Amino acid sequence: MSFWIHLRLLLWKNFTYRKRRTIQLIIELLWPLFLFFILVSVRQTHLAYQQHECHFPNKALPSAGILPWIQGAICNIENPCFPQATPGEMPGVVGNFNQSIVSRLLSDAQKVLLHATQDHTLHSIHELISALKKFSENSPPL
């Protein structure tokens, strides 16, 4: 059989199935219209309003530590919206979580990288690497 014969038979089968179940057909046609009219009525009753740009306060992730994470979740439970940038959004500022492990690591890395041009910093890094090599050579295998 060709494609068109298959298609015609499938459409005929679908038509007879729908014709025999008129209540189901009516529900299938009216249900999307009903949902559409609900959406239209909600849109008409609640008119759109202009809102300013929204900035949310920063929240710590669990990797910042359990206390900052819980503090951020509890203090910002209402999720307020501010028209101006919050302190945690400023570039280079970690925010309210300055005592977390990640922020301390970031500040230490910035100190080393910003002052890496000084000879004593490079020398101390070189000494640290050589001490780690000696330590790994002298440590017993596991």
Side-chain angles (χ1 to χ4, degrees):
M1 279 198 247
S2 72
F3 170 76
W4 298 110
I5 294 173
H6 279 274
L7 181 63
R8 193 185 82 190
L9 287 174
L10 184 62
L11 290 174
W12 174 78
K13 180 181 173 184
N14 190 18
F15 174 74
T16 55
Y17 175 76
R18 302 284 183 198
K19 188 173 66 171
R20 290 179 186 162
R21 301 184 185 265
T22 55
I23 294 174
Q24 181 180 354
L25 177 64
I26 291 170
I27 291 173
E28 286 178 356
L29 291 176
L30 293 180
W31 183 250
L33 290 173
F34 176 69
L35 293 176
F36 175 74
F37 285 124
I38 288 176
L39 289 175
V40 168
S41 67
V42 167
R43 177 73 173 143
Q44 294 298 325
T45 58
H46 296 83
L47 297 175
Y49 63 92
Q50 192 72 12
Q51 183 166 336
H52 56 79
E53 184 179 7
C54 200
H55 297 273
F56 297 103
N58 58 340
K59 297 177 184 126
L61 296 175
S63 62
I66 190 75
L67 187 62
W69 179 55
I70 292 174
Q71 178 186 4
I74 291 174
C75 292
N76 299 323
I77 201 160
E78 293 178 2
N79 208 17
C81 175
F82 300 107
Q84 56 279 73
T86 59
E89 291 181 285
M90 300 299 170
V93 176
V94 179
N96 305 335
F97 314 106
N98 292 332
Q99 298 304 318
S100 68
I101 295 171
V102 176
S103 64
R104 283 185 278 165
L105 177 66
L106 179 64
S107 66
D108 290 344
Q110 283 179 342
K111 287 178 190 174
V112 169
L113 293 175
L114 290 176
H115 303 296
T117 57
Q118 297 175 357
D119 290 335
H120 65 83
T121 306
L122 292 175
H123 183 66
S124 59
I125 291 174
H126 180 65
E127 288 178 1
L128 178 65
I129 291 173
S130 62
L132 287 173
K133 284 182 183 177
K134 289 180 184 176
F135 178 73
S136 65
E137 291 171 357
N138 294 338
S139 64
L142 297 174

